[in-house]
Amino acid sequence: MARALLIVLDSVGIGGAEDAAAYGDAGSDTVGHIAEACAEGRGDQPGLRQGPLHLPFMSASGLGLACEASTGRMPPNLAPREAVRGAWGYGVETSNGKDTPSGHWEIAGVPVDFDWGYFPNTVPAFPEKLTNALIERGHLPGILGNKHASGTAIIEEFAVEHLRTGKPICYTSVDSVLQIAAHEEFFGLQRLYDLCRIGRELCDEYKIGRVIARPFQGTPETGFKRTGNRKDFATPPPAATILDTLTEAGHAVVTVGKIGDIFAHRSTGTEVKPNGNDACLSAAIDAMRTLPEGGFVFANLVDFDSEFGHRRDIPGYAAALEAFDRRVPEIEAVLKEGDLVIITADHGNDPSWHGTDHTREHVPILCFGPGVKPGSIGRRESFADIGASVLAHLGVVNPGKGRSWI
């Protein structure tokens, strides 16, 4: 039997989808705009990176060609310099929304065909019924924030008052989400998680996709910084995903990063959750070293989105892409005959775009491994084709959505 590794580069989109205008994202293009910015010097940052975007291994796997197929434009410096060594194409999202659960669930064979609930961009943002219940059940003196906000900005705004009053900081965005920030030591990490579990239960009534714990540390003198102990409390997928199918068929499953959270820890096998892109990629590579025949590793690299996309940090995003690209040979080095690697994304988060939110984009699909036939797999009409192809590669019948290209 074969093995498979699926890596989601969180938010690495390659051009606005056909329905991007409905989301306010017509013209967005995460990879394309980063490449253009780097070619023009806007991606330079002393001590971090400089010059054109340099992604030789992903370019050789068809990234530039996928971008060109998606948008009609080849991004600067991403054209392959030799024959492409893998299969490449791009995926079109059919799910409602442009958030993490929608993208990942569709990749795993469950497109979101219902409307998520969202909190209005008003102050207060949350229904009084919800906040009153959260305060009562969480034994809180009250809450702070109660509005749409950037996660880093709202911590700076309310951290001192949080320490003075003991009130957690609650905020949201255009995504279907309730985020709760609190000081790891002063408020307590476990207490924050317990509060988010209460919030998860309360948010079900409003069809909110995720409640996210956002712990931070620091003092007024040193400043405040979010830690790596973020935890997402997601509503479970409404139908069986490829994780359920593989688990039921007796295949080994390893999930890395926030995959366990996204799928509500259902059929997520051995969960490994280190902090940061490098640590998550190392964990995925290590898992492949010992993965039995027929096994599946599903990894998410979140820093592209959380650290650089939302913060509209073009140099940081470019540096993160280049750092990942440098490690692609490490992935190849652990592959055995019959192994398949798929690199893709779940949505866009164009750091050159207005606002701080995700962008509705096509995603790249790059496939390589011993025995993978090079060439175009074309436009895939649903992210679910990715999950269907994983199942086909592993010899498991697909009971759900998607069409395999294998």
Side-chain angles (χ1 to χ4, degrees):
M1 282 195 294
R3 308 183 305 166
L5 168 61
L6 173 57
I7 302 175
V8 177
L9 308 183
D10 203 307
S11 85
V12 181
I14 58 169
E18 287 73 13
D19 60 357
Y23 295 83
D25 297 329
S28 60
D29 183 0
T30 299
V31 171
H33 288 161
I34 291 171
E36 289 170 2
C38 291
E40 297 167 3
R42 293 182 289 117
D44 292 354
Q45 182 173 313
L48 179 66
R49 69 160 315 280
Q50 61 182 9
L53 188 63
H54 186 59
L55 305 176
F57 294 103
M58 283 196 286
S59 295
S61 299
L63 177 60
L65 294 172
C67 292
E68 184 178 42
S70 169
T71 66
R73 308 184 315 276
M74 174 65 71
N77 305 294
L78 292 190
R81 298 185 178 182
E82 54 190 34
V84 175
R85 57 184 180 163
W88 56 270
Y90 69 95
V92 180
E93 186 167 16
T94 65
S95 292
N96 295 338
K98 55 178 180 177
D99 52 18
T100 295
S102 295
H104 281 78
W105 290 1
E106 184 168 340
I107 288 169
V110 184
V112 174
D113 59 3
F114 58 86
D115 290 327
W116 292 108
Y118 300 93
F119 295 117
N121 192 1
T122 57
V123 180
F126 305 121
E128 187 175 2
K129 177 183 175 182
L130 188 155
T131 54
N132 287 344
L134 187 67
I135 290 167
E136 179 181 356
R137 292 180 56 182
H139 306 289
L140 304 172
I143 65 170
L144 301 171
N146 202 347
K147 62 180 181 179
H148 282 233
S150 158
T152 52
I154 202 165
I155 289 172
E156 288 300 319
E157 182 178 358
F158 289 107
V160 173
E161 189 174 355
H162 164 66
L163 295 178
R164 182 179 64 83
T165 64
K167 298 176 182 179
I169 305 166
C170 300
Y171 61 104
T172 187
S173 68
V174 297
D175 288 338
S176 182
V177 65
L178 164 63
Q179 306 200 62
I180 306 178
H183 197 283
E184 268 196 9
E185 297 169 0
F186 170 76
F187 191 85
L189 185 60
Q190 188 57 53
R191 185 185 177 200
L192 175 58
Y193 290 163
D194 291 342
L195 181 63
C196 287
R197 289 188 179 93
I198 295 170
R200 170 68 273 158
E201 182 180 337
L202 295 174
C203 282
D204 286 346
E205 176 182 347
Y206 305 95
K207 296 184 178 180
I208 300 300
R210 288 180 295 165
V211 176
I212 304 178
R214 289 288 196 174
F216 63 91
Q217 289 184 334
T219 67
E221 293 74 27
T222 62
F224 300 97
K225 185 176 182 180
R226 296 195 299 199
T227 74
N229 291 320
R230 162 186 171 158
K231 189 173 180 64
D232 294 33
F233 297 83
T235 189
T241 70
I242 64 169
L243 294 171
D244 298 307
T245 300
L246 288 169
T247 299
E248 185 176 346
H251 290 243
V253 171
V254 180
T255 52
V256 181
K258 65 177 186 176
I259 297 295
D261 291 345
I262 294 167
F263 289 89
H265 309 283
R266 193 180 78 197
S267 299
T268 46
T270 300
E271 295 186 13
V272 187
K273 194 178 181 184
N275 180 30
N277 276 3
D278 272 347
C280 284
L281 183 54
S282 293
I285 292 170
D286 287 343
M288 286 297 291
R289 288 192 175 97
T290 58
L291 190 71
E293 292 297 313
F296 175 52
V297 178
F298 192 179
N300 171 280
L301 305 187
V302 72
D303 286 358
F304 300 108
D305 185 58
S306 62
E307 297 298 315
F308 310 113
H310 285 301
R311 301 185 187 190
R312 297 301 187 246
D313 181 353
I314 293 174
Y317 208 130
L321 286 169
E322 291 169 339
F324 173 78
D325 189 84
R326 287 193 294 270
R327 299 196 64 186
V328 171
E330 294 179 48
I331 300 172
E332 295 177 313
V334 300
L335 300 182
K336 299 179 180 179
E337 191 66 33
D339 285 352
L340 172 70
V341 178
I342 300 177
I343 298 173
T344 188
D346 53 341
H347 50 70
N349 201 343
D350 188 339
S352 73
W353 208 240
H354 53 78
T356 60
D357 299 308
H358 297 154
T359 42
R360 177 80 165 184
E361 298 186 44
H362 298 148
V363 301
I365 302 174
L366 310 179
C367 318
F368 58 86
V372 173
K373 183 179 178 180
S376 172
I377 60 171
R379 171 189 168 102
R380 311 309 301 188
E381 295 298 338
S382 171
F383 292 2
D385 288 6
I386 299 168
S389 299
V390 168
L391 293 180
H393 179 74
L394 297 179
V396 178
V397 174
N398 177 23
K401 305 288 186 178
R403 297 175 60 250
S404 170
W405 61 77
I406 293 175

